[in-house]
């Protein structure tokens, strides 16, 4: 599930946004005042739900005071789909959305993927590929190979991409994917939002072909 993906990447040295696991209504109400008084994105955590937006399993712009009500509603709606908990993440500021990921090809090995993310994935299909693990120059070339370079410069007042920071992120993802190439078949970080505070991964998914111990995982 997504919070476990966050934990996995953080253990490997990638930074993910502050997040809260809401497990029970009683626990949430007891600890609500300790959470930042901001708006949250709330996502249902269930091994049976891969594409949360398709099932309306994501609620955005939830004020702190509204978290108990949203938690109760999501649990009620999704308890038949192996509901586990709710992941609450503070809303990020607007910014360019990118895609970073990887896939394992039986012939070519682990391939790193980079491109425009969010709603632009299907519309523009502007992506580049590189063999993992990437060098700094490999990652820079992938970034510079995007056709819509003007978007990376920050259209309509949005923060421009910090290419140095993005290069390091790409290299790190490629190293992680290559390190676990025998157990990871796919990584999908989309969107990776560019903000004035830096890169913020807003959604992340890993498909394991086997678990870390080597046992086969059935997807």
């Amino acid at each position: 599930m997504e919070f476990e993906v966050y934990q996995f990447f953080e253990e490997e040295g990638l930074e993910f946004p502050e997040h809260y696991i809401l497990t029970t209504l009683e626990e949430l109400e007891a600890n609500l005042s300790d959470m930042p008084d901001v708006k949250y994105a709330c996502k249902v955590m269930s091994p049976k739900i891969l594409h949360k937006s398709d099932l309306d399993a994501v609620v955005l712009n939830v004020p702190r005071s509204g978290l108990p009500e949203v938690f109760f509603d999501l649990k009620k709606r999704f308890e038949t789909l192996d509901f586990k908990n709710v992941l609450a993440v503070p809303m990020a500021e607007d910014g360019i959305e990118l895609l970073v990921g990887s896939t394992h090809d039986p012939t070519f090995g682990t391939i790193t993927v980079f491109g425009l993310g969010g709603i632009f994935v299907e519309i523009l299909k502007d992506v580049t590929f590189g063999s993992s693990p990437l060098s700094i120059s490999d990652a820079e070339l992938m970034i510079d190979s995007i056709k819509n370079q003007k978007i990376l410069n920050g259209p309509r007042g949005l923060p421009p991409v910090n290419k140095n920071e993005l290069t390091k992120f790409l290299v790190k993802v490629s190293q992680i994917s290559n390190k676990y190439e025998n157990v990871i078949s796919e990584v999908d970080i989309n969107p990776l939002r560019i903000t004035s505070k830096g890169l913020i991964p807003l959604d992340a998914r890993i498909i394991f072909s086997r678990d870390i111990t080597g046992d086969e995982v059935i997807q």
Side-chain angles (χ1 to χ4, degrees), residues 28 42 59 62-63 66-77 86:
L28 170 58
C42 294
V59 182
V62 180
L67 288 173
E69 180 180 353
V70 169
F71 175 85
F72 180 82
D73 176 66
L74 290 175
K75 183 178 181 179
K76 184 178 180 180
R77 287 198 288 129
V86 170

Side-chain angles (χ1 to χ4, degrees), residues 9 51 99-102 186-190 203-207:
F9 278 129
H51 302 288
L99 158 70
V100 174
S102 70
E186 184 178 330
V187 170
D188 183 16
I189 300 173
N190 178 33
D203 207 349
R205 181 170 63 102
I206 295 177
I207 295 179

Side-chain angles (χ1 to χ4, degrees), residues 166-197:
L166 179 58
T167 296
K168 292 178 180 178
F169 190 92
L170 266 174
V171 169
K172 188 63 179 178
V173 170
S174 77
Q175 290 173 340
I176 295 170
S177 301
N178 191 68
K179 177 180 177 180
Y180 294 101
E181 64 178 353
N182 292 326
V183 295
I184 290 179
S185 59
E186 184 178 330
V187 170
D188 183 16
I189 300 173
N190 178 33
L192 173 67
R193 185 171 292 177
I194 309 303
T195 74
S196 60
K197 298 178 181 178

Side-chain angles (χ1 to χ4, degrees), residues 92-108:
E93 65 183 73
D94 291 340
I96 303 162
E97 295 188 338
L98 305 175
L99 158 70
V100 174
S102 70
T103 185
H104 186 75
D105 184 275
T107 302
F108 299 104

Side-chain angles (χ1 to χ4, degrees), residues 112-115 126-130 141-147:
T112 300
V113 183
F114 168 71
D126 194 354
V127 297
T128 58
F129 304 89
L141 180 60
M142 289 180 68
I143 295 170
D144 290 340
S145 296
I146 291 296
K147 298 174 184 177

Side-chain angles (χ1 to χ4, degrees), residues 76-126:
K76 184 178 180 180
R77 287 198 288 129
F78 294 99
E79 58 186 352
T80 59
L81 287 178
D82 199 13
F83 173 94
K84 297 297 183 183
N85 44 50
V86 170
L87 176 67
V89 183
M91 294 290 296
E93 65 183 73
D94 291 340
I96 303 162
E97 295 188 338
L98 305 175
L99 158 70
V100 174
S102 70
T103 185
H104 186 75
D105 184 275
T107 302
F108 299 104
T110 302
I111 305 298
T112 300
V113 183
F114 168 71
L116 298 181
I119 62 172
F120 294 120
V121 172
E122 297 298 330
I123 298 174
L124 299 179
K125 297 181 179 179
D126 194 354

